[in-house]
Amino acid sequence: MRLVFLGTPEFAVPTLEQAVAAGHEVACVVTQPDRPRGRGQHPSFPPVKDAALRLFLPVWQPERLREAKVVEHLRSFGADAMVVVGYGQIIPQAVIDIPPHGIINVHASLLPKYRGAAPVQWAIVRGETVTGVTTMRIDAGLDTGDMLLRAETEIGPAETAVELGRRLSLLGADLLVETLARLQEIVPEKQDPTQATKAPILKKEDGLIDWSLSAYAVDNRVRGLQPWPGAYTAFRGRKLHIWASCPQLRGTAHPGPGRFLTLKPPVVCCGEGALELVDVQLEGRKRIGGADFVNGQHLTENDCLGG
């Protein structure tokens, strides 16, 4: 099948690779323009561009898909279908109307749950134990198109969003190849809007820890908001990121949310249960283990997080 592939992040790379390996003709890879990154703010290739160049595929990086000249250029490729994986722009109707077999999207959730930009992260933050990937035909809405195929997987109790994202990217790649192979026989399924939930783009303030929540809810936020914005709290007037934690249920005396229950190991009280600080990073410092944090900051049981 002749395809145009639209994608940008690392999550999209396995799908591009699998489409090529399956024998599909990728006429063009469309990705976001190079953006400045790092301290030097030097232009950096999107991960999909790196992969496309490695696969000797033509790359195109238009600023906006809505421009008439861009739509016409996309039409000129004569693609049977287009594939979209984390492209980063809403696909306009003028583009949706181009390919005869439609535009197929690989979405990192079991639709209609977790529609939006950050489905992997919000699934963990909200305590889901099962997630997956869905292929669907794009329409003018936000992840509202008819579903084609779905594949489920369990979320590990200690799995981070980064780790889960890697697994889902591979699962989604396989599902896309299966979807293309069976495209003529698959009966599209309408989404039930009453079952829909949203996974909005992440904001910095989403990482702020509320110690009145349960230890499991705080741990979900620690695991789910990696690599950005990360879960963080206040400590002696500075920001303290918590990168790894372990929830505990304890029946001993509870000095209050944000207070230390023990220092060796460092365990902080939550609204329900307590949370061991496994890896932390104080603002302006390197990431270290919880025991090193206790020793380096000379913690006492009078210290409090979040205050």
Side-chain angles (χ1 to χ4, degrees):
M1 187 176 290
R2 185 172 171 84
L3 304 173
V4 167
F5 186 95
L6 298 93
T8 301
E10 189 67 39
F11 182 87
V13 170
T15 303
L16 175 61
E17 293 172 336
Q18 286 287 73
V20 172
H24 295 287
E25 179 190 0
V26 179
C28 185
V29 173
V30 183
T31 189
Q32 293 290 306
D34 301 345
R35 305 293 188 195
R37 288 183 176 84
R39 288 187 177 181
Q41 290 293 285
H42 299 297
S44 177
F45 288 1
V48 163
K49 180 178 180 178
D50 277 326
L53 295 176
R54 174 167 42 83
L55 294 166
F56 302 102
L57 298 172
V59 176
W60 184 35
Q61 297 174 275
E63 195 71 44
R64 296 179 185 83
L65 289 187
R66 294 188 175 276
E67 296 179 4
K69 62 181 181 181
V70 173
V71 174
E72 288 309 306
H73 193 51
L74 286 170
R75 194 188 312 276
S76 73
F77 291 115
D80 301 308
M82 295 184 187
V83 174
V84 173
V85 188
Y87 175 59
Q89 290 187 35
I90 298 294
I91 309 299
Q93 189 65 48
V95 174
I96 294 172
D97 293 338
I98 292 174
H101 293 292
I103 301 182
I104 301 165
N105 175 233
V106 179
H107 184 75
S109 79
L110 297 174
L111 291 170
K113 296 185 76 173
Y114 299 105
R115 294 173 175 173
V120 178
Q121 293 90 337
W122 286 114
I124 294 177
V125 169
R126 293 173 185 165
E128 300 287 352
T129 57
V130 174
T131 188
V133 289
T134 306
T135 52
M136 69 168 182
R137 275 205 175 96
I138 281 184
D139 63 12
L142 179 61
D143 300 328
T144 57
D146 292 350
M147 298 180 294
L148 299 172
L149 295 178
R150 304 203 308 169
E152 291 188 3
T153 186
E154 292 185 357
I155 300 174
E159 195 166 26
T160 68
V162 174
E163 295 163 342
L164 179 59
R166 290 195 194 104
R167 288 203 300 114
L168 292 180
S169 71
L170 300 176
L171 193 63
D174 290 340
L175 194 67
L176 184 277
V177 170
E178 181 183 356
T179 300
L180 292 176
R182 297 175 50 198
L183 199 55
Q184 301 302 321
E185 65 182 68
I186 296 172
V187 178
E189 179 185 351
K190 295 286 185 185
Q191 295 189 42
D192 180 356
T194 66
Q195 300 300 310
T197 58
K198 293 182 179 180
I201 190 168
L202 294 171
K203 304 184 296 297
K204 188 175 182 179
E205 53 265 32
D206 290 324
L208 181 62
I209 294 172
D210 179 356
W211 292 105
S212 69
L213 298 175
S214 74
Y216 286 99
V218 176
D219 182 63
N220 289 343
R221 193 162 291 265
V222 170
R223 295 185 297 113
L225 296 181
Q226 296 188 28
W228 190 89
Y232 60 88
T233 187
F235 170 72
R236 296 177 183 171
R238 299 167 71 183
K239 183 180 289 186
L240 178 71
H241 269 91
I242 300 175
W243 293 115
S245 57
C246 182
Q248 302 178 4
L249 290 176
R250 296 196 174 207
T252 55
H254 195 301
R259 295 282 180 181
F260 283 91
L261 186 63
T262 66
L263 296 178
K264 296 183 179 181
V267 177
V268 182
C269 294
C270 300
E272 179 183 348
L275 192 76
E276 179 181 347
L277 307 185
V278 177
D279 281 329
V280 300
Q281 184 176 10
L282 191 60
E283 185 177 5
R285 302 287 184 87
K286 294 180 180 180
R287 176 172 169 169
I288 59 174
D292 290 333
F293 172 66
V294 171
N295 294 332
Q297 296 299 316
H298 307 289
L299 254 65
T300 72
E301 292 185 355
N302 292 324
D303 280 304
C304 181
L305 299 184

